[in-house]
Amino acid sequence: MSSFLSYMNDTDREIVTAALKGNLQDDEKDDFIDILDRFDHNNIPSPDEVKHVFSQIAHKELIQKTKYALAGMAESSRDNLVLLFPDTAAIKVLYEARNPTVKSVLKLLQAQPTNKAESDSYKYFKQYIKSQEDSNLRKLLQYITGSNVICVERIAVMFTYSEGLLRHPVAHTCGPTLELPATYNSYPDLRENLIAY
């Protein structure tokens, strides 16, 4: 049940959790019915049946629906996957290695500043990354690469000389490449511009 609740969005999770505890408010009943309908359950369960009904829904969503895809994957890649991931700990290690940290994102950056302005802007950008919390770091990575986890081996940083309203970083996720203006005069200048985007 905890896996199924994690599978749901925050709003649905709150409503289902309230229903499981028997604390469903009158104003939440329509939303509860919508949730049941989305999971193709046509009957409204009594408070005593809610846990059983959602156990069945969870089994269908997390196990039955994925079984077909997993069986197809097993036919073609079982032998290789067993070598790469002999146990669930190996999968966790891979997942954790893909979570962005300040250090891991900084290691991805590749830049060739050719003058003081480019070196300064690059220094300010690295300072900006160092100041980010995990959630903001994920957003920055999403902007630059298209993914909020590390899925690339490098991020190329190119320099532009835009001014005024045109002065802002431009990401090309297919590269991935970041066009960083070399016209920032200070770290607060760069930070203010990045926050706006």
Side-chain angles (χ1 to χ4, degrees):
M1 189 56 70
S2 66
S3 294
F4 182 62
L5 290 172
S6 296
Y7 170 78
M8 304 177 99
N9 65 52
D10 292 341
T11 305
D12 290 353
R13 184 181 312 116
E14 287 176 18
I15 292 168
V16 171
T17 301
L20 289 168
K21 291 179 179 178
N23 298 332
L24 195 63
Q25 303 296 315
D26 288 339
D27 62 337
E28 296 173 322
K29 288 184 179 176
D30 286 341
D31 292 330
F32 182 67
I33 292 168
D34 287 342
I35 293 167
L36 290 169
D37 186 50
R38 248 182 288 139
F39 292 115
D40 299 322
H41 190 81
N42 301 324
N43 299 323
I44 300 172
S46 68
D48 295 335
E49 298 172 326
V50 170
K51 186 173 182 177
H52 177 69
V53 165
F54 274 95
S55 291
Q56 289 178 328
I57 291 172
H59 186 270
K60 177 182 164 191
E61 291 296 314
L62 299 179
I63 296 173
Q64 292 175 357
K65 281 188 174 181
T66 58
K67 187 171 182 348
Y68 177 75
L70 291 172
M73 287 172 53
E75 285 180 28
S76 64
S77 56
R78 176 184 293 127
D79 296 337
N80 291 334
L81 288 175
V82 168
L83 292 174
L84 292 171
F85 305 110
D87 54 26
T88 55
I91 296 171
K92 273 187 164 180
V93 167
L94 174 70
Y95 181 75
E96 288 168 6
R98 298 295 177 203
N99 279 330
T101 63
V102 168
K103 192 174 183 177
S104 63
V105 171
L106 288 173
K107 280 184 179 180
L108 294 174
L109 300 179
Q110 291 187 348
Q112 301 288 329
T114 59
N115 57 43
K116 183 172 178 1
E118 290 176 1
S119 294
D120 286 347
S121 284
Y122 187 52
K123 178 179 72 175
Y124 302 146
F125 181 62
K126 290 193 297 187
Q127 185 178 351
Y128 177 78
I129 290 172
K130 291 175 185 176
S131 72
Q132 298 307 299
E133 294 179 7
D134 287 349
S135 61
N136 288 339
L137 199 56
R138 286 179 171 280
K139 289 177 187 174
L140 180 66
L141 196 61
Q142 174 91 37
Y143 175 69
I144 297 172
T145 68
S147 174
N148 66 359
V149 296
I150 296 174
C151 63
V152 296
E153 293 181 19
R154 68 176 185 84
I155 297 171
V157 180
M158 311 300 281
F159 298 97
T160 63
Y161 287 87
S162 8
E163 293 282 352
L165 294 175
L166 297 175
R167 185 183 74 169
H168 58 84
V170 176
H172 301 277
T173 57
C174 59
T177 303
L178 179 69
E179 292 181 7
L180 184 67
T183 52
Y184 294 116
N185 298 319
S186 65
Y187 168 68
D189 193 23
L190 175 134
R191 184 186 67 222
E192 182 180 325
N193 192 239
L194 276 172
I195 289 171
Y197 283 89

